[in-house]
Amino acid sequence: MFGSQSWEDDDHISGETVTPTEKSINEVHFVDKDLHSTLKFVVAFATGAFFFLFPIQWEGQTTIPLDVLMTLITDTSIFVVEVFTLLVLFAGGILTTISMLHYQGTITLSERTQRLFEVDYWQTSNLFWTFRVTAMFLGLMMFFRVGPGWLLGDAVAGIAWEVLMITIVLVIPLGGVFVNLLAELGGLEFVGTLAQPIMRPLFDLPGRSALDSAASWLGSFSIGYYLTRNVFDRGGYNKRDVFVICTCFATANLGTVGAVAAILDLLDVFPVLVLLYLIATLIVAAVLVRVPPLSTVPEEYVAEPDPEPTFTGTPADYLRFAFNEGVRTAREGESIPRAAHNGFVDGTKLTAMILGTVLTIGTCVLALEAYTPFFEYLATPLVPVMTVLGIPDPQMAATAILAGAGEYFIGATLVVEADLITKVFVVVVTSAQAIFFAASVPMMVDMFDDIPMRFRDLTALLILRTVLLIPIAAVLTHGAAAAGFI
């Protein structure tokens, strides 16, 4: 079920013959750092890093400038944003339909029309075609507030449309601008070189993956996925790299964790909460990369392999080499305005491709959570485990963890009335789960269908993550309480 053949594709490039270049400081060819190339790299890196990696305080919460930009846009005209969301949703559904009808032989498009509509980009399976078309009707009902009460209530449309759709339709196109500045103009090489001594031995990942992780933690898992997809398409990651990054490091972002902490009255211990969450995430990642299914995903590439060169040297050597690689890439890259424009266009196309899938599946999951005891029944076997681990309010904690697998925010907020230990424990587990069926799962399945990422794989990984996270979070929470930190 999880053998490497499950992901192998004869059309993809095997990584078995790909050997990264090994260099020491004496073997590095240092580029001539002319003022234009150096400034280009510094400005692009500083702009991209500032907008989605630099934490700031905004209205009492820790967030990033990209989130502030999104807030200002929605505050200025939420109606315009909702119209844009509906247009992008329809664009994805209509273009997918045109593509599928063309490839099924129902209609015939000229070569010029095929290029115009980029029909290859929109081709998908019949299942995801159905998701995207269904989402057009769901989007219409949610936009015009017409339909059954169960669909339009706060528990379903209030999250699926007003939170998930609005967030995704802004964060990926806008984030694409700043991600592309980093990916195209040297930031990826700079960060990757510096992080290589940590990411490679601990997680068997290229150093550049540290940028994806930081983007997810400080920005959004959507941004992390977009950056990962961007590098994957350039040959910078193989299938295994992508699977590990998306399922181990694209966890809940700090802004969302902060919002949950505020609701649960945990802001006074927020630094401790974040530390526990990050420790749990890293421990689980270090374990899961070494066991199936992640360890069996083949190291295949969908583009000409461009592995990160390995480097040996002192910390000062690493810094010199990293800066050299950044300037070299910036010199060869496009202008800053062109890179930003391409990032916005690519981000908008990607949004149109995945938005319908997220809306359709997200609506189903949220309806299950809101109107059925489905997750409560699933949580029953976990109650004795919570009791053994000394977690107060065991039924509430177990239900919250299982509900968190559906949608992070709902799971975490189910423990509003719980004991402090329970609140901290649940926030740590749900924040580090990384796999949420209302949002991240459909996004991964649709965005990385060429790996492929399947529901069965992500379900198995979610179970493994939860099994590991529960005892780890319990030990960390009790340890923090014993030390007087909470």
Side-chain angles (χ1 to χ4, degrees):
M1 181 177 179
F2 295 118
S4 61
Q5 66 275 10
S6 299
W7 293 281
E8 290 174 352
D9 190 320
D10 291 339
D11 293 331
H12 294 163
I13 303 170
S14 172
E16 293 181 359
T17 59
V18 177
T19 304
T21 305
E22 297 184 9
K23 294 181 179 180
S24 68
I25 194 67
N26 295 325
E27 298 172 307
V28 174
H29 171 66
F30 286 95
V31 298
D32 180 21
K33 298 177 181 62
D34 60 280
L35 183 61
H36 179 264
S37 299
T38 302
L39 281 178
K40 187 176 172 183
F41 163 64
V42 171
V43 170
F45 180 77
T47 304
F50 173 75
F51 268 91
F52 77 94
L53 294 178
F54 190 76
I56 62 173
Q57 288 294 315
W58 177 262
E59 296 182 347
Q61 291 188 20
T62 300
T63 185
I64 56 172
L66 177 62
D67 186 38
V68 175
L69 177 61
M70 291 167 50
T71 301
L72 293 174
I73 291 173
T74 54
D75 288 348
T76 300
S77 181
I78 185 62
F79 176 74
V80 173
V81 175
E82 289 196 55
V83 170
F84 179 64
T85 302
L86 196 64
L87 291 175
V88 172
L89 199 62
F90 266 72
I94 292 171
L95 289 170
T96 299
T97 299
I98 292 172
S99 174
M100 296 300 290
L101 292 177
H102 169 72
Y103 281 108
Q104 290 178 0
T106 306
I107 61 174
T108 302
L109 301 176
S110 66
E111 289 189 9
R112 181 175 179 276
T113 305
Q114 290 181 48
R115 289 194 300 271
L116 178 65
F117 288 140
E118 298 184 36
V119 291
D120 288 345
Y121 184 84
W122 302 103
Q123 186 182 18
T124 185
S125 66
N126 287 331
L127 176 63
F128 284 96
W129 181 17
T130 303
F131 287 157
R132 295 176 193 177
V133 172
T134 301
M136 293 165 61
F137 297 99
L138 290 173
L140 276 176
M141 288 189 285
M142 292 178 183
F143 177 79
F144 288 106
R145 311 300 192 262
V146 175
W150 66 265
L151 177 66
L152 301 179
D154 291 342
V156 181
I159 296 175
W161 181 262
E162 296 174 20
V163 177
L164 293 179
M165 292 297 97
I166 300 302
T167 300
I168 292 170
V169 85
L170 287 177
V171 77
I172 296 183
L174 291 177
V177 171
F178 306 110
V179 164
N180 220 41
L181 293 183
L182 292 170
E184 288 268 8
L185 302 178
L188 203 61
E189 286 72 18
F190 180 73
V191 173
T193 302
L194 293 179
Q196 196 177 95
I198 299 172
M199 301 303 291
R200 182 59 72 184
L202 284 182
F203 310 111
D204 196 23
L205 287 174
R208 55 176 64 131
S209 63
L211 192 58
D212 305 55
S213 306
S216 295
W217 289 344
L218 294 173
S220 162
F221 65 81
S222 305
I223 289 292
Y225 293 167
Y226 175 76
L227 177 54
T228 303
R229 179 76 244 186
N230 187 302
V231 180
F232 186 46
D233 287 338
R234 300 166 187 270
Y237 291 143
N238 58 49
K239 291 182 178 180
R240 183 183 171 279
D241 294 334
V242 171
F243 230 120
V244 172
I245 294 166
C246 290
T247 60
C248 290
F249 294 97
T251 51
N253 69 79
L254 295 187
T256 306
V257 177
V260 168
I263 292 171
L264 299 182
D265 197 24
L266 293 175
L267 286 179
D268 57 323
V269 294
F270 185 64
V272 177
L273 198 63
V274 170
L275 180 62
L276 299 183
Y277 148 54
L278 293 180
I279 291 173
T281 299
L282 296 176
I283 292 173
V284 171
V287 174
L288 288 183
V289 296
R290 292 167 169 81
V291 299
L294 291 181
S295 64
T296 60
V297 179
E299 296 182 355
E300 289 184 341
Y301 294 82
V302 296
E304 185 64 30
D306 181 25
E308 185 177 77
T310 58
F311 180 75
T312 56
T314 66
D317 291 339
Y318 267 97
L319 186 59
R320 287 180 62 201
F321 183 52
F323 191 76
N324 179 76
E325 292 298 289
V327 173
R328 178 184 58 78
T329 305
R331 170 185 286 180
E332 298 168 356
E334 298 173 320
S335 67
I336 290 178
R338 174 56 60 182
H341 172 267
N342 290 345
F344 181 79
V345 171
D346 290 344
T348 303
K349 286 168 53 182
L350 181 61
T351 303
M353 183 179 73
I354 66 174
L355 205 60
T357 304
V358 175
L359 181 59
T360 301
I361 296 178
T363 298
C364 293
V365 171
L366 291 168
L368 276 176
E369 283 189 328
Y371 302 113
T372 74
F374 178 72
F375 289 100
E376 191 172 330
Y377 288 154
L378 282 183
T380 301
L382 283 180
V383 176
V385 178
M386 299 295 109
T387 303
V388 170
L389 292 174
I391 304 299
D393 311 302
Q395 177 67 56
M396 194 182 297
T399 304
I401 288 171
L402 266 295
E407 208 285 315
Y408 164 69
F409 200 87
I410 292 176
T413 53
L414 287 179
V415 292
V416 172
E417 303 298 328
D419 181 87
L420 175 62
I421 294 292
T422 304
K423 290 180 182 179
V424 172
F425 168 76
V426 168
V427 171
V428 171
V429 173
T430 54
S431 298
Q433 271 178 325
I435 300 170
F436 310 108
F437 280 94
S440 62
V441 168
M443 197 177 294
M444 281 189 278
V445 170
D446 210 354
M447 191 182 292
F448 299 104
D449 62 339
D450 48 353
I451 289 181
M453 286 189 179
R454 296 163 293 214
F455 287 105
R456 74 180 192 196
D457 308 322
L458 297 174
T459 301
L461 279 166
L462 174 64
I463 293 171
L464 286 173
R465 290 189 68 81
T466 304
V467 167
L468 289 171
L469 278 168
I470 286 174
I472 290 171
V475 170
L476 291 173
T477 303
H478 286 307
F485 295 138
I486 58 175

